Amino acid sequence: MPDDLKGVAARGRDKKAEAGQDVDLNQYSRQGGDWAYDEQYQGFDAAERSHLLKAGIELTDEEHAATFFQADRAVMHCKVSQPGVEVLPITEALARYEWLTDYYWRLVAPDSDKYTAQTALDLDNGYFIRALPGAKIAYPVETCLYIRTEGLAQHVHNIVIAEPESELNVITGCTTHPGVKAGLHLGISEFYVKAGARVNFTMVHNWGSDIHVRPRSAILVEEKGTFISNYILLKPVKSVQMDPLVRLTGTGAVTTLQSIVVAHPDTELDLGSRVYLEAPQTRAEVIARSVTTGGKSISRGHLVGKFPDVKAHLECQGLILSETGIIHAIPELSGEVAGVEMSHEAAVGKIAQEEIEYLMARGLDEDEAASTIVRGFLSIKIEGLPLALEEEIERTIREARKGL
Amino acid sequence: MLQIEDLWVTIEDKEVLKGINLKIQTGETHILFGKNGSGKSTLLMTLMGFARYKVVQGRILFKGTDITQMPTYERARLGLGLAFQRPPTIRGVKTLDLLQVCSGKGRPAAEALAFDYDFENFLEREINYGFSGGEIKKSELLQLLAQDPALVLLDEPESGVDLENLQMVGEIIRRLLQKERRRADRDKSGLIITHTGFILNYLNADKGHVMCDGQIACHGIPREILEHIKEQGYEECVRCLTISKE
């Protein structure tokens, strides 16, 4: 990393984030986690495998365009199985490609807050994914960021580049070893969706009950590019705070951001989505659904129309399933020129009695009816998703829902 | 099959049903007439046991069991089935899933039913989401077919249905009520709310009742009642009820 970046990062070292509870970085270990490379995924027992599956990680190279697996600080597996896509550990990619500095820390500033600063100053690794121009990569690229050691802080930086007219599907599972309770995950992600390219990014979080998570993501979408993101968090975690920014900078760029999250007791979620519509005919849709069973869920959304003739819609819906949970929806719209068309709807409440009774009239008891409605509320349906990816998301949600 | 004795019901402390008595024998179909707000829908909702409808007096016997305090799902399992007039939308849940819940059987049974009535394109759609009025009715009736209830409760099954689909709605109701069988062989009963009386073109109903201000004002032969209402309107029923009260 160039010295000037380090200098910039150092300035942010003590800067608290604007949202989310402050995490003391000194509480976490930077030792251990030197796992060996595992070509055949042999180092995982049955319990660990089934746990990883709940985050969508199958530990196989089959039916994947490429796979990347980082445990703690070490890359244990990284393999490309299809032409047209490149996947490397970010440290290796930075060493190999000088031009990558044009992408590294260009969308997220290293001095944004103490978490970005810490990651810039003391990087573990992360993934570099690049779809080559015109390559249509049907199978998903599967990546996993895994905390395997108790009390560890994991520092990750990812870069995803979809070259012009390419298509790329990425599934990222972020999870902890079933035995790990406490830990910290810091993750920088920078996405570049170039002209006419299409990226489907699905992220599943399945952390431990005492894990703090601070992702910092930004996405740049050029002319006629499409960025679709699905975020799924159904299991207990201590706190997650993130507010990814999508910039639609090219004419006709489109983004859809969907999230389904559950705030369990003692969980604190502060999740946002920001979209800047900076070019003609750009479109954005943000759909955030959250459920609380006792935890706190802040659901932010901010659409900024900077150009006439843009359209965007924001939907925040919350279901409160317990006496004590909190859902705080903060939808925001900023129109900076005339001619923008932006709207939002937000609704927070309990399950409609009318819906429960409707299902009860068909023979379901009250609990069955309620859980059917909650499952429906948390299901994601996205048009135009490749079948394999759709099945994988379905499977992931099904696994993750168990025990909800 | 069904016996309602001196039923008084309130909604949010407002008296809506005021002493309903009604008896439906096995195999019989009864028609409920009455103008808007007379309590027809309330009666059906109360029979299904929804929470808003508080029984303050009287009781409901179904197949000899007192179901007045029974939860909705137990009534459904016992054989009461209601086609809603305006059912809610349930996002994210497929119509197919609901049909499977209704039939208690697997996917093939639900799919076969949908196929019979040209509804297979709706199976993957979310329940009632973006359905037209007619599609909602059809969906409700198919759910009942899958459920196969002993007592069929229909709340204005014709409303919002276009002419083309009206016949199919009539046919499904005939099937629900086993109208193809001889009267003595039927073991299903029905209680149907209708404004237009269209259903009488598809089946012979045994008895008709006119509801007025929370009471059953009169009984009779359904076709005759319908003719009467068409000619003189419900005002005549109101007058008639006033006279009988005096």
Side-chain angles (χ1 to χ4, degrees), chain A residues 289-311:
Chain A
R289 299 214 174 136
S290 56
V291 167
T292 174
T293 60
K296 182 174 184 182
S297 171
I298 300 174
S299 178
R300 298 174 198 271
H302 193 179
L303 303 175
V304 183
K306 293 171 179 279
F307 211 92
D309 189 23
V310 302
K311 271 189 196 164

Side-chain angles (χ1 to χ4, degrees), chain B residues 33-243:
Chain B
F33 299 99
K35 62 177 183 180
N36 291 334
S38 61
K40 305 184 301 294
S41 292
T42 298
L43 179 58
L44 260 50
M45 300 293 186
T46 305
L47 290 177
M48 220 53 234
F50 297 139
R52 273 185 82 213
Y53 306 85
K54 302 259 185 286
V55 175
V56 290
Q57 191 179 314
R59 60 177 192 159
I60 305 162
L61 298 173
F62 178 61
K63 292 182 185 169
T65 307
D66 185 340
I67 61 164
T68 316
Q69 301 303 331
M70 194 180 265
T72 298
Y73 71 93
E74 284 183 25
R75 298 183 198 212
R77 290 175 189 177
L78 207 59
L80 276 158
L82 168 68
F84 287 63
Q85 196 194 352
R86 279 185 286 270
T89 296
I90 301 184
R91 298 301 309 270
V93 183
K94 290 178 194 168
T95 304
L96 174 64
D97 297 341
L98 187 57
L99 277 175
Q100 283 179 256
V101 164
C102 291
S103 69
K105 294 177 201 142
R107 194 183 169 112
E111 282 176 339
L113 262 182
F115 191 76
D116 282 354
Y117 295 100
D118 199 17
F119 205 64
E120 56 276 35
N121 290 339
F122 291 83
L123 292 176
E124 294 296 317
R125 287 178 56 178
E126 297 167 78
I127 298 168
N128 298 325
Y129 183 65
F131 283 24
S132 72
E135 288 157 359
I136 283 179
K137 295 293 149 160
K138 210 155 143 186
S139 170
E140 287 297 301
L141 290 171
L142 290 184
Q143 289 171 44
L144 286 197
L145 271 182
Q147 218 176 333
D148 196 24
L151 178 61
V152 176
L153 306 170
L154 306 177
D155 196 345
E156 292 191 32
E158 75 272 33
S159 72
V161 182
D162 58 34
L163 282 173
E164 201 178 329
N165 282 297
L166 214 47
Q167 172 145 356
M168 191 181 284
V169 165
E171 280 168 19
I172 300 175
I173 295 172
R174 281 185 62 80
R175 181 166 159 190
L176 276 168
L177 292 167
Q178 302 171 324
K179 292 298 181 185
E180 74 288 358
R181 295 192 192 178
R182 291 186 313 166
R183 176 179 295 264
D185 296 336
R186 290 176 198 150
D187 49 20
K188 310 285 185 193
S189 308
L191 180 57
I192 305 175
I193 295 176
T194 179
H195 266 299
T196 63
F198 102 99
I199 190 66
L200 298 176
N201 299 329
Y202 293 91
L203 49 81
N204 281 315
D206 302 279
K207 279 181 190 158
H209 313 272
V210 182
M211 279 194 75
C212 189
D213 192 27
Q215 293 178 315
I216 291 180
C218 61
H219 314 271
I221 297 166
R223 279 187 183 284
E224 289 182 5
I225 294 180
L226 183 66
E227 288 308 313
H228 194 75
I229 294 169
K230 275 183 181 165
E231 280 169 26
Q232 316 205 16
Y234 284 112
E235 293 313 311
E236 176 63 15
C237 298
V238 176
R239 195 184 62 82
C240 176
L241 183 68
T242 318
I243 292 167

Side-chain angles (χ1 to χ4, degrees), chain A residues 110-122:
Chain A
D111 60 344
S112 302
D113 59 31
K114 62 199 265 191
Y115 310 115
T116 57
Q118 178 82 344
T119 308
L121 293 168
D122 189 14

